Amino acid sequence: MNIIDSKRIWLSSPHMGGTEQDFVKEAFETNWVAPLGPNVDGFEKDIESYLNTDIHAAALSSGTAALHLGLRLLGVTTGDEVLCQSMTFAASANPIVYLGAKPVFVDSESYTWNICPEQLEIAIKDRISKGIKPKAIVAVHLYGMPYNVEAIHNVASEYKIPVLEDSAEALGSSYHGVQCGTFGDIAILSFNGNKIITTSGGGALISKNVKHKERAIFLATQARDNAPHYEHSEVGYNYRMSNITAGIGRGQMQVLDSHVANRRRNFDFYKKHLENYSEIRFLEEPEGYSSNRWLTCIETTSYQLREGLRLSLAEENIESRPLWKPMHQQPVFADCDAYLNGFSDDLFDRGLCLPSGSNLEEDDLYRIVSVIKNVLR
Ligand SMILES: *Cc1c(COP(=O)(O)O)cnc(C)c1O
């Protein structure tokens, strides 16, 4: 096929459900064109009832902003250390640096590709023996696959270290029937354009503690004290979600379940057509885990094969991508300590994310699979 003739297939593109513009139109008609209003309140309620426990959500300008506020609410400050899953997107780690604290990275395990409980405990013991107790743990449900909640939270509570649950990629995933985004002392969601639902850009801070929500909103709206004039006794941020983008979010919440179903369908399709090739492996759900399959990722047998697949797909106007490059390999974090077992380095070399949008059509999926089969043949 020729690039000119073939439609571009994206890794993960926005997918509107149809009612988003009604909420946005209403915001215009009622002149709620501000970082507050009925859509912001409504979107927060929608998230709270979706997560389905006694939970509170603060809608913010991005998932990164939510991580920044979440760490601040957990008391992270200058000179602290925060343990962070190494295999993740940089936004999990950057906010640690915003607060003058230092990330210490922890490698992943093979069942979920997420933070390894054994390495985590080794890291905690070693930091404590060096005289610095880590202030928080950032654990990530990468690509929608829940981390080992029981093991990670057991280690965290044994050492009394709070967990910031990065659920940016895992809205709609669950662990033993409980929604991701409800496990951490604080959790965050992202509604960036490539995520399972989008507000074009946005995020949320989630907590069972209503005081966390109130304080997040206070800090996100410039930390304005209660006075008729502008009075400030703390440094705040401008991190609240706009009532316009929250309107998009309300529409997207109506299609979240169907987006999850479509993404899971993508995974099943790829698996059905490719599982007989010994060069390719899929990450299965351990018992009790349910992934939203935000991205379908494959593990190949070598860096060369991974690159061969990626470049052949690109030639056919199909976007694919290597997995997240671990943070301990990133130049910006070169001087940070890391507790490693080799897993994420190896996976980064051999792994590939396949197109996974909820708006992919069966023809698109067949096109992708046939390119992959041609390379393997
Ligand atoms: C997308 C993402 C974020 C950041 O969210 P934004 O809304 O883009 O700021 C954080 N962590 C992970 C794992 C992500 O994938």
Side-chain angles (χ1 to χ4, degrees):
M1 206 180 292
N2 188 306
I3 277 206
I4 320 281
D5 309 327
S6 63
K7 176 184 105 186
R8 173 89 170 146
I9 298 181
W10 300 99
L11 197 67
S12 179
S13 67
H15 183 195
M16 293 300 107
T19 60
E20 292 84 359
Q21 283 185 316
D22 300 337
F23 290 103
V24 172
K25 188 159 172 266
E26 193 184 318
F28 273 77
E29 280 167 2
T30 53
N31 205 29
W32 280 105
V33 185
L36 78 167
N39 282 337
V40 176
D41 299 340
F43 186 42
E44 286 174 345
K45 284 214 176 67
D46 291 345
I47 296 166
E48 288 165 355
S49 54
Y50 186 86
L51 294 178
N52 209 13
T53 79
D54 189 14
I55 218 87
H56 306 281
L60 300 171
S61 55
S62 71
T64 310
L67 281 155
H68 189 186
L69 291 181
L71 290 166
R72 190 161 153 189
L73 261 55
L74 294 176
V76 173
T77 185
T78 314
D80 283 340
E81 287 188 352
V82 174
L83 297 170
C84 181
Q85 181 166 323
S86 187
M87 180 130 184
T88 185
F89 178 47
S92 305
N94 285 336
I96 300 168
V97 181
Y98 301 168
L99 288 162
K102 206 155 178 144
V104 174
F105 295 110
V106 180
D107 216 325
S108 285
E109 41 78 4
S110 59
Y111 291 104
T112 70
W113 296 2
N114 292 312
I115 188 165
C116 170
E118 282 87 39
Q119 289 298 319
L120 177 64
E121 183 156 24
I122 290 169
I124 294 172
K125 283 184 171 158
D126 192 50
R127 298 328 277 183
I128 291 175
S129 80
K130 290 185 161 75
I132 313 174
K133 184 175 167 182
K135 202 62 180 272
I137 297 163
V138 179
V140 188
H141 307 297
L142 209 65
Y143 302 119
M145 182 64 78
Y147 60 77
N148 186 337
V149 172
E150 193 186 348
I152 296 301
H153 287 261
N154 278 346
V155 174
S157 53
E158 189 178 335
Y159 295 91
K160 299 195 167 49
I161 303 173
V163 176
L164 181 47
E165 177 192 359
D166 183 342
S167 197
E169 301 176 1
L171 180 58
S173 298
S174 63
Y175 175 86
H176 291 283
V178 182
Q179 293 287 340
C180 288
T182 64
F183 296 109
D185 294 82
I186 292 177
I188 71 99
L189 301 172
S190 167
F191 312 112
N192 194 19
N194 60 347
K195 296 290 164 37
I196 191 128
I197 62 165
T198 185
T199 57
S200 72
L205 182 142
I206 313 289
S207 174
K208 289 188 177 128
N209 183 347
V210 70
K211 294 229 166 62
H212 281 154
K213 171 175 176 172
E214 289 162 3
R215 179 132 174 94
I217 292 174
F218 170 76
L219 290 172
T221 49
Q222 309 286 19
R224 205 182 148 194
D225 295 340
N226 195 8
H229 57 277
Y230 280 85
E231 178 86 5
H232 305 274
S233 35
E234 283 185 86
V235 173
Y237 311 89
N238 183 4
Y239 276 174
R240 197 67 162 125
M241 181 178 277
S242 141
N243 194 58
I244 302 296
T245 55
I248 305 174
R250 291 184 81 181
Q252 288 272 279
M253 283 304 288
Q254 297 177 348
V255 291
L256 172 55
D257 282 335
S258 84
H259 283 198
V260 173
N262 287 356
R263 296 217 181 219
R264 288 180 62 86
R265 171 214 60 185
N266 294 338
F267 177 89
D268 291 341
F269 184 97
Y270 286 127
K271 194 179 152 199
K272 179 173 156 213
H273 288 87
L274 298 171
E275 71 179 339
N276 289 332
Y277 293 85
S278 60
E279 302 97 322
I280 286 185
R281 284 215 345 235
F282 292 88
L283 181 63
E284 297 297 338
E285 290 165 326
E287 177 77 34
Y289 289 60
S290 178
S291 170
N292 65 11
R293 297 294 186 190
W294 173 57
L295 296 186
T296 293
C297 305
I298 54 172
E299 205 180 320
T300 72
T301 40
S302 69
Y303 172 80
Q304 289 70 20
L305 176 57
R306 197 280 307 283
E307 280 302 277
L309 289 169
R310 187 179 68 79
L311 295 169
S312 301
L313 288 164
E315 254 172 49
E316 298 295 330
N317 209 12
I318 299 167
E319 185 185 26
S320 68
R321 238 170 236 249
L323 306 189
W324 296 124
K325 182 175 182 176
M327 291 305 113
H328 70 267
Q329 285 195 38
Q330 298 287 357
V332 67
F333 295 123
D335 66 338
C336 295
D337 284 342
Y339 293 82
L340 305 175
N341 54 19
F343 181 79
S344 62
D345 287 338
D346 178 41
L347 194 61
F348 171 62
D349 281 346
R350 297 186 290 109
L352 188 68
C353 304
L354 299 178
S356 299
S358 47
N359 48 5
L360 288 180
E361 284 161 24
E362 196 159 70
D363 285 353
D364 300 329
L365 291 166
Y366 273 112
R367 216 177 107 198
I368 298 158
V369 158
S370 87
V371 175
I372 295 174
K373 285 183 175 174
N374 267 330
V375 174
L376 296 176
R377 209 163 270 138

